[in-house]
Amino acid sequence: GNQTGSISEELKKKIAAKLKTKNSFEWEIFLGNRGIPCSAHRTFHEWIQSKHALQSGLVEFRNDNTVKLGPLVWFEKRENGILDLPNNPQYCLSHIKVLDCSNVIAGPTIGMMLARMGADVIKIDNTHPSYSPMVTVVYGMSANQGKRSILLDFSDKKGKLKLNRLIQESHIIIFNTTYERMKIAGLNIEKLREINPNLWVQ
């Protein structure tokens, strides 16, 4: 017991010393480029100036240096009527099909909120889960309400074909991972829009 404890403490010291060699934003880039999903914990002021917040339209800087926060929901009407939504706000997304490829809590919660507004949400999970049952089952009991579910192996050729068909039929796809990880999986933004030009990726 004591020997294991001393090794553990020594390892903690080495990790702590190594982490001090870069700031959190540098670690975010370093680990992300190596396929390890991570994100620096940002203050409000750091987040509103981040690339994601600005490019997604969640934050807009006005000419007087004040900040306008973006909408919680985007509605869009097209001539073909594919997003012509009903008036009842409870089911305002009933014509929308969503692929939820997210994990843990925040991503699946987004999918759950869309399902509550009437969207047809399909939750996709890997056939080989990398999280404990506490995460996938217990948290999933609330975050996956109202969704359909499918197990799919993205690395398998048959699984990729199935995923491509689902992407072609969908309006929205949800990921909560880094762009680097999406590229490794062959699901970067450009590839997704090549499969389905009308897809909205968030």
Side-chain angles (χ1 to χ4, degrees):
N2 291 337
Q3 186 178 5
T4 304
S6 63
I7 293 172
S8 177
E9 289 301 316
E10 185 65 29
L11 183 58
K12 286 180 186 176
K13 288 177 184 177
K14 287 182 178 180
I15 292 172
K18 188 67 177 177
L19 288 173
K20 289 178 182 177
T21 62
K22 302 179 192 295
N23 67 39
S24 57
F25 302 109
E26 290 170 332
W27 279 116
E28 182 181 88
I29 295 168
F30 179 86
L31 294 172
N33 286 340
R34 285 155 181 79
I36 303 170
C38 69
S39 180
H41 188 82
R42 288 169 168 80
T43 65
F44 172 74
H45 292 289
E46 288 170 338
W47 183 80
I48 63 174
Q49 297 176 67
S50 70
K51 185 177 178 181
H52 171 77
L54 295 170
Q55 289 185 347
S56 65
L58 291 171
V59 170
E60 178 186 327
F61 282 92
R62 294 170 168 154
N63 292 332
D64 60 357
N65 286 330
T66 59
V67 175
K68 175 186 175 185
L69 296 181
L72 295 178
V73 178
W74 287 262
F75 287 105
E76 178 182 0
K77 288 194 175 184
R78 299 182 183 172
E79 289 181 8
N80 61 11
I82 199 166
L83 293 181
D84 196 7
L85 306 174
N87 294 324
N88 187 343
Q90 185 178 356
Y91 301 107
C92 62
L93 299 181
S94 61
H95 291 89
I96 302 300
K97 188 168 186 176
V98 180
L99 282 188
D100 185 349
C101 299
S102 61
N103 54 40
V104 191
I105 305 171
T109 299
I110 293 168
M112 183 263 291
M113 295 303 294
L114 295 176
R116 287 179 65 180
M117 289 187 279
D120 178 13
V121 182
I122 299 176
K123 177 71 171 73
I124 298 180
D125 287 300
N126 200 303
T127 51
H128 305 289
S130 55
Y131 292 98
S132 71
M134 178 67 183
V135 173
T136 55
V137 178
V138 177
Y139 294 156
M141 288 171 69
S142 59
N144 291 323
Q145 290 184 53
K147 303 176 187 177
R148 293 191 284 158
S149 179
I150 185 171
L151 294 177
L152 203 59
D153 185 357
F154 291 1
S155 63
D156 178 74
K157 185 177 180 181
K158 188 177 178 182
K160 280 186 178 178
L161 289 172
K162 175 68 173 174
L163 179 64
N164 284 358
R165 283 198 297 272
L166 289 168
I167 291 170
Q168 288 169 352
E169 298 168 0
S170 299
H171 302 102
I172 299 170
I173 187 165
I174 304 170
F175 283 101
N176 57 341
T177 187
T178 62
Y179 287 128
E180 287 75 19
R181 283 300 305 165
M182 289 176 71
K183 286 178 184 177
I184 291 170
L187 294 172
N188 55 308
I189 303 295
E190 294 76 18
K191 179 65 177 175
L192 288 168
R193 291 199 171 125
E194 182 182 311
I195 298 169
N196 182 350
N198 296 316
L199 187 68
W200 188 54
V201 183
Q202 182 63 20

